[in-house]
């Protein structure tokens, strides 16, 4: 076969990029802290871009969240301004996609209880911009105090929130005819441990948990 024909066959169309877990936001000028009141909350859980494709859609991820004990906010209501994050994907600061709250195994009512008594919650930021389109979902997870304490983050709430979500996700869950299986990898070095730049001055340990979710 002539060399010129071989060249044309190889380069006539670009090869599809293989799936990646995520792109480091810092490479593209982003951060592992979102933006809130001049400070930030750690993006301490990442849903891998190697997860089943449906989990990386808004509808599919919300269904996974329901399976592990979380729902959208009480009556769809949200107080306070949306937080933003720059994931280094070429879009700059982008508002959170949603805030998801623990439902205490009471669908339709549990998130209202969480709003009153406190509990686990997280914000979702997808990495889907043109410069780093991994499809990964970056989550800012924390445990918050009750309404009487104005929903401030609980003591050690960033670590506790992250670990609580991961614990909920790790054993198989079934909902709406789908079974979700999750594996976890611990990542060091994306976040700096401590309270520097962290909202509410609450220290965190610098660990990010990477979750790969498979649907069957």
């Amino acid at each position: 076969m002539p060399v010129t024909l071989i060249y044309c066959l190889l380069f006539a169309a670009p090869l599809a990029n293989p799936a990646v877990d995520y792109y480091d936001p810092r490479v593209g000028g982003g951060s592992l802290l979102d933006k809130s009141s001049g400070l930030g909350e750690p993006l301490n859980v990442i849903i891998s871009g190697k997860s089943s494709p449906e989990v990386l859609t808004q509808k599919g991820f919300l269904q996974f969240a329901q399976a592990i004990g979380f729902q959208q906010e009480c009556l769809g209501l949200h107080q306070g301004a949306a937080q933003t994050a720059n994931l280094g994907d070429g879009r700059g600061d982008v508002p959170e996609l949603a805030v998801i709250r623990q439902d205490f195994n009471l669908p339709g009512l549990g998130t209202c209880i969480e709003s009153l008594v406190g509990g686990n919650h997280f914000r979702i930021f997808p990495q889907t911009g043109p410069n780093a389109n991994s499809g990964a979902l970056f989550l800012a997870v924390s445990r918050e105090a009750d309404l009487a304490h104005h929903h401030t983050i609980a003591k050690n709430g960033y670590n506790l929130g992250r670990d609580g979500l991961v614990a909920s996700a790790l054993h198989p869950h079934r909902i709406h005819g789908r079974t979700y299986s999750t594996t976890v990898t611990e990542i060091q070095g994306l976040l700096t441990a401590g309270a520097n730049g962290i909202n509410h001055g609450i220290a965190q340990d610098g660990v990010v948990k990477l979750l790969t979710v498979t649907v069957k």
Side-chain angles (χ1 to χ4, degrees), residues 91-135:
R91 297 181 299 154
D93 291 323
V94 177
E96 64 202 27
L97 188 63
V99 179
I100 308 297
R101 298 185 183 279
Q102 186 177 1
D103 69 5
F104 300 101
N105 295 315
L106 295 170
L109 178 63
T111 56
C112 299
I113 294 174
E114 193 277 343
S115 294
L116 292 173
V117 305
N120 221 4
H121 77 310
F122 59 88
R123 304 170 190 275
I124 310 169
F125 301 93
Q127 190 178 53
T128 54
N131 296 347
N133 186 7
S134 68

Side-chain angles (χ1 to χ4, degrees), residues 4-190:
T4 53
L5 180 56
I6 295 174
Y7 182 89
C8 289
L9 290 173
L10 288 174
F11 296 98
L15 297 175
N17 289 329
V20 297
D21 288 314
Y22 63 92
Y23 293 109
D24 185 342
R26 300 171 300 176
V27 174
S31 173
L32 268 293
L33 297 179
D34 71 8
K35 294 183 178 178
S36 169
S37 303
L39 296 171
E41 298 190 358
L43 302 173
N44 50 11
V45 173
I46 302 173
I47 307 299
S48 169
K50 294 181 180 179
S51 299
S52 294
E54 71 176 75
V55 175
L56 303 177
T57 67
Q58 184 171 0
K59 179 180 178 181
F61 180 74
L62 290 177
Q63 187 164 288
F64 166 68
Q66 291 172 18
I68 65 172
F70 292 82
Q71 294 271 357
Q72 289 181 285
E73 293 193 278
C74 176
L75 304 178
L77 301 176
H78 176 64
Q79 293 183 338
Q83 296 183 14
T84 64
N86 182 345
L87 298 181
D89 60 3
R91 297 181 299 154
D93 291 323
V94 177
E96 64 202 27
L97 188 63
V99 179
I100 308 297
R101 298 185 183 279
Q102 186 177 1
D103 69 5
F104 300 101
N105 295 315
L106 295 170
L109 178 63
T111 56
C112 299
I113 294 174
E114 193 277 343
S115 294
L116 292 173
V117 305
N120 221 4
H121 77 310
F122 59 88
R123 304 170 190 275
I124 310 169
F125 301 93
Q127 190 178 53
T128 54
N131 296 347
N133 186 7
S134 68
L137 303 175
F138 286 66
L139 310 183
V141 191
S142 58
R143 181 177 295 177
E144 63 182 359
D146 58 24
L147 183 61
H149 292 87
H150 308 290
H151 288 163
T152 190
I153 304 302
K155 184 178 180 181
N156 197 30
Y158 297 117
N159 295 337
L160 291 175
R162 175 202 62 206
D163 293 345
L165 183 147
V166 171
S168 297
L170 280 185
H171 55 87
H173 295 269
R174 185 170 178 81
I175 188 173
H176 303 313
R178 289 173 168 80
T179 299
Y180 297 88
S181 300
T182 303
T183 60
V184 60
T185 302
E186 185 173 295
I187 304 172
Q188 303 276 357
L190 288 177

